[in-house]
Amino acid sequence: MCNMVTARKTRQSRVASRLAGLLSALAKGGKRSKAMLVYDSKSVPDISVFDYLSRWVEYTDCSDDVLCIASLYLDRLMSKNNFSLNVHNVHRLLATSLVLASKWQHDVVYPSSHYALVCGVSVDELKRLERSFLTDLDWDLHVTTKQFQSYAVEFTKF
């Protein structure tokens, strides 16, 4: 049993590391929109994307499935709305995609106050981010098996 848990955490860390690395690279190269979007923070957060995602994984017992779905949601959001990640929005977009992916994937979820605390925002702010994200996605959270598998394969390649 211990080996299974260790293997799961190692695999999860690998997926989280790859996702954090990808998002960090995209954010560093992204341009900030002239119009302040709901996802933009006023200043660049002091925490790295890797540490932010590590905190999420630690305090929400996040699965690889949630990480893959969150990544898919981010891709979907950016392609539908023609904007890019940048250092001002990556943390809030990641947080929102993780909350929505967790709620979509799991039958039992943490209360919004827990997610807000882990994400470093107020409950009202998190709800506002969720509403905006859902609206920008046209409430399209469904993920087909084929979509999920394509993301899972990319994140678990050696």
Side-chain angles (χ1 to χ4, degrees):
M1 178 73 155
C2 184
N3 289 338
M4 287 176 53
V5 171
T6 302
R8 179 177 169 266
K9 289 293 183 186
T10 302
R11 204 170 41 252
Q12 185 179 53
S13 296
R14 199 174 305 129
V15 172
S17 293
R18 288 188 177 156
L19 178 57
L22 175 66
L23 294 177
S24 293
L26 289 171
K28 285 179 185 171
K31 303 276 190 227
R32 190 170 187 190
S33 169
K34 293 191 190 283
M36 180 90 159
L37 298 174
V38 67
Y39 309 107
D40 286 348
S41 59
K42 291 178 183 159
S43 61
V44 177
D46 290 331
I47 187 170
S48 71
V49 174
F50 179 81
D51 289 343
Y52 194 74
L53 186 54
S54 295
R55 182 171 72 188
W56 174 269
V57 169
E58 181 179 352
Y59 291 108
T60 65
D61 194 31
C62 182
S63 67
D64 290 348
D65 296 354
V66 167
L67 296 173
C68 290
I69 293 168
S71 176
L72 190 145
Y73 287 169
L74 286 169
D75 283 348
R76 190 178 287 174
L77 180 81
M78 289 185 292
S79 66
K80 279 188 174 188
N81 296 281
N82 197 29
F83 70 89
S84 62
L85 290 175
N86 63 60
V87 294
H88 290 274
N89 68 17
V90 66
H91 293 83
R92 288 172 179 243
L93 285 167
L94 176 58
T96 310
S97 67
L98 288 165
V99 169
L100 293 173
S102 293
K103 289 179 176 181
W104 177 262
Q105 187 66 10
H106 299 296
D107 292 331
V108 178
V109 296
Y110 291 97
S112 293
S113 58
H114 180 78
Y115 290 133
L117 184 63
V118 173
C119 295
V121 297
S122 69
V123 174
D124 288 342
E125 178 71 8
L126 182 60
K127 288 179 181 180
R128 186 172 65 89
L129 290 167
E130 284 181 86
R131 277 192 306 273
S132 295
F133 202 102
L134 288 166
T135 299
D136 290 342
L137 280 181
D138 298 322
W139 291 79
D140 180 17
L141 295 182
H142 179 72
V143 176
T144 66
T145 302
K146 184 176 179 177
Q147 290 170 325
F148 175 79
Q149 288 173 342
S150 71
Y151 276 73
V153 165
E154 287 303 313
F155 280 114
T156 56
K157 280 183 181 176
F158 288 95

